[in-house]
Amino acid sequence: MNILSLFNYWAVIGLMMIGYYCVIVRGNMVKKIIGLGIFQTSVFILFISAGKVLGGSTPILRDGVEIYSNPLPHVLILTAIVVGVATTAVGLALAVRVQEAFGSIDDDALDRHATEDEA
Amino acid sequence: MNITEFMPFAVLLPLIAAPVVALLPGRLAPWIFAWLSAAGALLIAALTLIAVFDGEILRYAFGNWPAPIGIEYRVDAASGFVALLITAMATLMLGWGRASVNREVPERQGAFYALFLLAFAGLMGITLTGDIFNVFVFLEISSLATYALIAHGRDRRALLAAFRYLIMGTVGATFLLIGIGFLYIMTGTLNMMDLAERLPAVGESRVLQVGLAFIVVGMALKLALFPLHLWLPNAYTFAPSVVSAFIAATATKVALYVLLRFIFTVFAPEYSFTALPLAAAFTVLAIAAMFAGSWMALFQDNLKRLLAYSSVAQVGYMVLGVSLVTVMGLTASFLHLFNHGLMKGALFVAAGIIFHQTGSVKVADMRGLGRVMPWTFTGFALAGVSLIGIPPTAGFISKWALISAAIDADQTWMVALILISSLMALAYIAHIIEVAWMQPRPKGAPVVKEASAELLLPLWLLVAANFYFGIDTRLTLGGATAAAEALLGGGGL
């Protein structure tokens, strides 16, 4: 087992860190949501790539095929994708409402407004 | 009539009722329908707890697909106990919430109640299910509904609080998903019982260790364990009163339940506490939470934010019980989980009544209110007594259980810290009482009336429960002990 044979996990880790970095560092709400999306997608790839069986065929029952890939991770991730889409939708809806209420979706400006409200 | 057949309806009733409620017009119809579904779930949860009280386990296979192929609901004393708390709180809060919601969410109440039911159904699903992927899905159902509920707050900062909770909550849930993925990769199953059987065979594995770490950190985020509590104060402060009261009494408790389910049932405690230094980490973070939360609560000029920081401290007590890894310690955690739901529920309901009558939860605006609204503030003070832990209240019982557990585990030094932290609770509750009763009402302050009986009755029911469970501990102590034994299997480290 060398480093290349684990390339799917390297891809997952790379995407995960890009997304996570984006969530933490970006001040813009929409960019945070994009980062969150990349972060979640990396986990989807983790599941999907783990379901692949080497030499396995697509999991459709037919003659002459003995080894199938595992279809269960796909089903799980179908659910997780729906959850991710819903999260993005709620996040974007909140960003729209924040823009209407504060006139900005940037963290620094929002913090300033929130501190003003406090007084 | 077999209770196993009906048990899933504790989740399905609110889940099915939610879209119906969303479509109902007006204000009264959605509320009645929502309340009825919550009350139905409460009835089922009560019957379920009775059935599992003696250590029996109810299993329901969905679509008749037996586990581990299908998804099953698996209810033991631990889940039954938490389910009773959630359904009781949902029924009470909905019953109380109508007048409060009319003031704070005047429009489209059908959608509001539907979200409330979704959040409620999600929490119930997490509690009853025996499948770890199901836990993730229900966690997200309840979290997404909660984000939307918090955004319903009238203050525009509610939107920011909801968005920040969404970011941190989603990161937490995704961490849980990563952990679930690792468990699935190593074992090929998602059923909790099946996992518990197969995991020891995997043996020492870095993948499992990392998976456990992801799950613990993810759930610590949802649980608001210090220092991952940053989403909590603003979310509780700016949410509509009924939402604050409901999530303060239930949401963090369910996250704690999930954490316990993973470290005790899925991974055996022998594994979790040796693979990672969880006991030490929990002890340090719990004590830090107890003091940081109480300390921050001392300086808040907003009553709801004060209560929110107090919740951070109370989560500390619950996790401290877990860190002992004994049946007594876990019993104290479950006991405090239930009792804290009762007291924080009562305190947030009182804060909601104050907001309903005066339009403000600023401590400075409460000067002299004690004499104008004696019923509300007496209720608040009595619930506060329970929060501090003075006998004969439920709060005293759980503190007593925690202190006994600490002494039993030879951690006597913890007792002093618990007492100091309780004194800090005394200070911030006494400050509110001092402002409300001792200070005169400022001249020119708006005229305020005592709340109606409709609002006061649920508050006093909760206050009465705080005292009742301080005297008759058969249900709470018995339930908590059964829950702890269900998780630890009578043993410990």
Side-chain angles (χ1 to χ4, degrees):
Chain A
M1 201 178 283
N2 57 33
I3 287 184
L4 267 182
S5 75
L6 297 171
F7 77 96
N8 58 327
Y9 296 113
W10 290 111
V12 168
I13 292 168
L15 278 174
M16 196 181 278
M17 289 305 117
I18 292 169
Y20 205 35
Y21 177 84
C22 215
V23 173
I24 294 170
V25 172
R26 294 291 159 194
N28 185 303
M29 286 171 78
V30 175
K31 288 183 183 166
K32 272 186 195 290
I33 295 169
I34 294 172
L36 208 58
I38 298 174
F39 180 54
Q40 288 180 313
T41 309
S42 74
V43 183
F44 302 162
I45 297 175
L46 172 73
F47 271 78
I48 298 285
S49 64
K52 170 71 184 166
V53 176
L54 282 182
S57 160
T58 43
I60 300 167
L61 195 63
R62 57 175 184 260
D63 289 336
V65 181
E66 292 295 324
I67 307 170
Y68 298 102
S69 284
N70 185 353
L72 189 63
H74 299 74
V75 184
L76 298 178
I77 290 315
L78 213 54
T79 315
I81 287 173
V82 174
V83 169
V85 169
T87 311
T88 311
V90 175
L92 289 175
L94 282 172
V96 171
R97 292 274 314 274
V98 167
Q99 170 71 32
E100 284 168 4
F102 291 86
S104 167
I105 52 167
D106 194 74
D107 253 357
D108 295 335
L110 291 173
D111 278 338
R112 220 170 28 246
H113 286 302
T115 330
E116 281 164 17
D117 285 1
E118 207 76 37
Chain B
M1 281 265 282
N2 183 349
I3 185 63
T4 312
E5 302 289 316
F6 284 88
M7 172 263 286
F9 281 92
V11 181
L12 294 177
L13 267 183
L15 201 60
I16 296 168
V20 179
V21 165
L23 295 175
L24 287 177
R27 291 178 165 190
L28 192 61
W31 175 72
I32 291 180
F33 208 82
W35 187 81
L36 282 178
S37 70
L42 172 62
L43 183 69
I44 296 169
L47 292 174
T48 308
L49 183 63
I50 293 170
V52 296
F53 209 79
D54 305 319
E56 204 162 321
I57 290 168
L58 298 184
R59 307 178 77 153
Y60 181 90
F62 273 91
N64 253 335
W65 292 93
I69 304 292
I71 293 171
E72 66 166 352
Y73 275 9
R74 185 179 172 282
V75 182
D76 60 12
S79 21
F81 191 59
V82 178
L84 181 72
L85 172 74
I86 304 168
T87 47
M89 283 299 150
T91 312
L92 253 169
M93 295 307 168
L94 275 173
W96 168 72
R98 198 167 72 91
S100 168
V101 173
N102 278 342
R103 183 185 165 119
E104 293 175 41
V105 190
E107 280 155 11
R108 290 198 289 173
Q109 289 187 356
F112 179 82
Y113 286 119
L115 284 170
F116 189 96
L117 287 181
L118 280 179
F120 167 45
L123 295 177
M124 286 302 290
I126 298 169
T127 314
L128 298 186
T129 188
D131 181 282
I132 57 174
F133 194 77
N134 225 227
V135 168
F136 166 75
V137 174
F138 275 119
L139 186 76
E140 284 295 60
I141 290 178
S142 92
S143 302
L144 284 167
T146 310
Y147 309 144
L149 283 173
I150 291 169
H152 271 82
R154 310 273 2 221
D155 193 301
R156 62 179 183 167
R157 281 170 289 172
L159 299 168
L160 289 185
F163 186 77
R164 288 188 182 151
Y165 184 19
L166 179 137
I167 295 287
M168 298 182 88
T170 307
V171 169
T174 310
F175 270 34
L176 177 72
L177 187 62
I178 298 171
I180 291 171
F182 284 155
L183 291 191
Y184 180 72
I185 289 170
M186 291 312 283
T187 61
T189 180
L190 291 164
N191 184 280
M192 286 181 188
M193 288 293 100
D194 217 28
L195 274 167
E197 275 172 30
R198 292 195 199 180
L199 279 175
V202 176
E204 285 294 308
S205 154
R206 182 58 59 85
V207 180
L208 287 188
Q209 207 180 1
V210 173
L212 176 63
F214 268 114
I215 290 168
V216 169
V217 175
M219 290 327 292
L221 243 170
K222 298 297 287 183
L223 164 70
L225 178 59
F226 181 87
L228 302 172
H229 66 284
L230 292 171
W231 58 268
L232 184 142
N234 277 342
Y236 284 16
T237 309
F238 296 118
S241 303
V242 62
V243 176
S244 305
F246 179 64
I247 60 175
T250 56
T252 50
K253 276 76 184 168
V254 173
L256 178 69
Y257 165 82
V258 175
L259 183 63
L260 296 180
R261 202 34 108 190
F262 271 99
I263 53 185
F264 286 99
T265 305
V266 174
F267 295 94
E270 296 82 21
Y271 179 83
S272 332
F273 285 90
T274 47
L276 292 176
L278 281 185
F282 282 163
T283 312
V284 172
L285 293 180
I287 289 168
M290 277 156 52
F291 283 89
S294 302
W295 181 255
M296 291 299 288
L298 284 172
F299 302 103
Q300 297 308 320
D301 55 2
N302 179 314
L303 179 61
K304 281 171 85 175
R305 191 176 279 139
L306 181 152
L307 294 176
Y309 274 111
S310 154
S311 279
V312 174
Q314 304 289 322
V315 165
Y317 293 122
M318 293 175 224
V319 175
L320 190 65
V322 179
S323 76
L324 298 169
V325 210
T326 58
V327 171
M328 277 182 88
L330 261 190
T331 305
S333 289
F334 269 104
L335 201 54
H336 199 51
L337 183 151
F338 192 89
N339 289 342
H340 179 247
L342 293 180
M343 51 186 136
K344 233 355 123 33
L347 288 168
F348 268 106
V349 164
I353 295 176
I354 295 167
F355 186 79
H356 183 262
Q357 299 301 112
T358 69
S360 163
V361 281
K362 284 244 161 69
V363 175
D365 293 337
M366 287 171 202
R367 277 175 292 182
L369 268 186
R371 261 160 287 177
V372 190
M373 301 169 62
W375 287 100
T376 310
F377 275 91
T378 310
F380 180 88
L382 291 176
V385 163
S386 181
L387 182 76
I388 300 160
I390 299 170
T393 58
F396 168 71
I397 302 292
S398 44
K399 290 257 169 75
W400 180 256
L402 185 59
I403 288 175
S404 324
I407 294 172
D408 181 66
D410 284 330
Q411 307 281 353
T412 321
W413 55 277
M414 281 181 189
V415 177
L417 297 180
I418 294 167
L419 290 178
I420 296 170
S421 170
S422 300
L423 280 178
M424 290 163 87
L426 176 66
Y428 57 73
I429 293 294
H431 174 60
I432 304 291
I433 294 169
E434 191 260 336
V435 168
W437 293 91
M438 310 293 176
Q439 295 189 13
R441 191 103 180 103
K443 285 200 176 64
V447 181
V448 174
K449 282 192 303 224
E450 176 61 290
S452 63
E454 184 196 352
L455 283 166
L456 286 172
L457 186 69
L459 170 65
W460 278 87
L461 271 178
L462 277 168
V463 171
N466 268 301
F467 278 84
Y468 178 79
F469 289 119
I471 296 161
D472 179 0
T473 58
R474 274 174 303 177
L475 172 69
T476 50
L477 195 58
T481 313
E485 279 168 359
L487 281 183
L488 264 177
L493 264 192

